[in-house]
Amino acid sequence: MNARRFRLRTVALTAAVVVAAAAGVVAAVGFDGTDRSSTAAADTAPPATATVTRRTLTDAQTVDGELGYGTTRTATARLTGTITAVPDTGATVRRGGRLYAVDNDPVLLLYGSLPAYRVLEPGVEGADVEQFERNLRALGHDGFTVDDEYTGGTADAVRQWQEELGLPETGRVEPGRVVYAAGAVRVESHQAAPGDAAQPGQAVLTYTGTSRLVTVELDVDDQRLAKKGGAVDVGLPGGEPVAGKIESVQTVIDAGTGGAAGQSTEAETKIEVTVSLADPAKLAGYDQASVEVTFTAAERPDVLTVPVAALLALAEGGYGVEVVDAGRSRIVPVTTGLFAAGQVEISGPDVAEGMTVGMPA
């Protein structure tokens, strides 16, 4: 074989290891001289072949999900006394509504992302003040400026609000008097019943949002699939796929379970994805159900592809394929693109649709 031809040799390449993990087999070849291809002896013909095809290559994955109302959260008591009222399961509570009652006084739902964590009274400043004042204004009260300062005007408006609710008119807001949520909530279950003693930290009820959502848990390795705002397809039981959009992506810890020796499980990190549906009307007749969600991480239309196993890791770096023609073969370098479904996108001046390439046995 002259100096302008390829010669096979064994090398240790990090890239080869990566592709080997995806394809199972990757050969390593050396490249001598300046030619981009070279004819090998006929007796080195590969044991199997594949065809270079042109297609749309899609990196997609279908996983199980649950149709419901999104993430479940727990309302815990911050006041002492007796639970005297809880709403029915399935009930919707909106801004300013009673989430539950302690000693017959309401604990109220407001909208916001910050939890109530301190007493609000004249002189207090901060983002939690502005959040509360936005709610107070939305409930029809005025006489104050919505900002981060709790002023005497705020206190006067609070006294009017407390009078309407039948609460002591203190002008102060105790942290246990309000619960913040992103929006209206749907009561999912009761953790306490009227007559139960209330004490700080006690779970009273669980709630979700009011919109129909699909929740999916992904392995951390599949995080590439879930990008906020991305499009997905949701397969309902016995129905046509429904278009959906990724609303949120967050990392969660699945707590391990205890048990007898050898039966406990360790905590595991997961990616929790929440998906909204474009046509809620198609959910008629479904309350909660198992669904299938198809995520598409990437799509490359009209590209040349070969099986991943056809790639050869070149000793000089990069990849090539062994092109077989009329019983002889030559190795040509290629540029790789998307890897998906056992195929890889390739490009280069020496590859074309319909070519035959070598494969491992």
Side-chain angles (χ1 to χ4, degrees):
M1 184 177 296
N2 61 38
R4 298 175 67 82
R5 294 180 178 175
F6 289 96
R7 57 190 177 84
L8 296 175
R9 66 182 180 184
T10 302
V11 294
L13 292 174
T14 300
V17 174
V18 173
V19 178
V25 178
V26 173
V29 298
F31 182 63
D32 293 331
T34 59
D35 279 359
R36 295 185 65 81
S37 65
S38 179
T39 302
D43 59 6
T44 64
T49 61
T51 302
V52 178
T53 59
R54 186 175 294 279
R55 67 175 70 183
T56 295
L57 191 60
T58 304
D59 178 12
Q61 184 172 328
T62 299
V63 298
D64 293 334
E66 289 295 326
L67 172 65
Y69 292 88
T71 303
T72 299
R73 305 189 184 280
T74 302
T76 57
R78 302 284 298 276
L79 304 172
T80 58
T82 301
I83 302 291
T84 53
V86 290
D88 294 336
T89 57
T92 297
V93 182
R94 295 180 171 81
R95 185 187 345 237
R98 185 181 69 177
L99 193 58
Y100 60 93
V102 176
D103 291 347
N104 224 28
D105 289 334
V107 173
L108 302 149
L109 179 73
L110 299 180
Y111 296 170
S113 58
L114 277 173
Y117 65 93
R118 60 177 175 171
V119 174
L120 300 183
E121 58 188 348
V124 173
E125 299 181 8
D128 55 336
V129 173
E130 183 174 356
Q131 176 176 271
F132 172 74
E133 289 182 339
R134 283 199 305 270
N135 280 274
L136 197 58
R137 177 63 56 81
L139 291 172
H141 297 277
D142 54 22
F144 59 92
T145 300
V146 176
D147 56 18
D148 63 357
E149 297 182 16
Y150 196 108
T151 64
T154 308
D156 288 341
V158 168
R159 290 187 185 94
Q160 296 173 2
W161 180 51
Q162 290 170 331
E163 181 180 10
E164 292 175 1
L165 296 169
L167 295 170
E169 299 167 32
T170 63
R172 304 163 68 245
V173 182
E174 304 289 340
R177 186 57 60 195
V178 296
V179 173
Y180 286 101
V185 303
R186 173 183 176 275
V187 177
E188 183 171 86
S189 67
H190 297 150
Q191 307 298 306
D196 290 349
Q199 54 187 356
Q202 176 190 353
V204 179
L205 54 83
T206 62
Y207 61 89
T208 65
T210 58
S211 299
R212 306 297 301 280
L213 299 170
V214 172
T215 303
V216 180
E217 278 195 352
L218 297 175
D219 293 333
V220 174
D221 292 344
D222 293 328
Q223 188 166 7
R224 76 187 190 287
L225 298 171
K227 303 297 182 184
K228 185 175 180 179
V232 299
D233 288 324
V234 179
L236 299 173
E240 294 295 323
V242 179
K245 183 177 76 171
I246 298 175
E247 296 291 343
S248 66
V249 181
Q250 59 183 341
T251 302
V252 297
I253 305 296
D254 278 354
T257 59
Q263 296 182 351
S264 60
T265 60
E266 296 181 356
E268 187 176 8
T269 301
K270 292 285 189 178
I271 305 300
E272 185 178 87
V273 184
T274 301
V275 173
S276 63
L277 301 177
D279 187 0
K282 291 188 176 181
L283 302 178
Y286 296 101
D287 183 21
Q288 294 183 324
S290 295
V291 298
E292 291 186 337
V293 181
T294 300
F295 294 87
T296 301
E299 185 173 88
R300 298 282 292 162
D302 195 33
V303 295
L304 298 178
T305 72
V306 294
V308 175
L311 286 181
L312 303 173
L314 301 180
E316 291 74 14
Y319 300 100
V321 292
E322 183 178 6
V323 175
V324 181
D325 185 19
R328 302 183 67 82
S329 65
R330 56 194 175 91
I331 296 171
V332 300
V334 296
T335 300
T336 59
L338 179 65
F339 288 75
Q343 297 282 313
V344 57
E345 172 192 356
I346 61 170
S347 60
D350 301 313
V351 290
E353 181 180 3
M355 281 183 169
T356 299
V357 296
M359 293 279 290

